[in-house]
Amino acid sequence: MYVCICNAVTEKDIHKAVEQGMRTFTQVQMATGAGTCCGQCTGCAKDTMLDAIEAEAIRGWEEMDAMAA
């Protein structure tokens, strides 16, 4: 799904930025361009970034649990 229409940024683009180590919204903006034009997508883009960070953390915990088992 497109998050930022102005710059054609998708949820996948934001998730990819997080996978590459972006942890602040400013970093995500610099990597993707989301929220740098009209700003209407800023809330959705931030929520998508937080979802991506949470998903990455959960994957890490699951991997740690699997290694401990």
Side-chain angles (χ1 to χ4, degrees):
M1 174 178 91
Y2 280 95
V3 173
C4 176
I5 301 301
C6 295
N7 293 314
V9 179
T10 64
E11 288 178 338
K12 185 183 269 188
D13 295 328
I14 293 173
H15 278 261
K16 186 175 181 179
V18 169
E19 288 172 9
Q20 293 173 344
M22 309 303 157
R23 290 294 179 272
T24 67
F25 188 62
T26 301
Q27 291 172 332
V28 169
Q29 284 181 302
M30 290 172 52
T32 66
T36 61
C37 193
C38 76
Q40 291 295 311
C41 66
T42 301
C44 182
K46 285 180 180 179
D47 288 344
T48 302
M49 179 193 77
L50 293 174
D51 290 344
I53 292 170
E54 181 179 28
E56 190 172 84
I58 290 170
R59 280 192 304 275
W61 294 330
E62 289 171 349
E63 288 174 8
M64 289 175 54
D65 286 345
M67 289 178 13

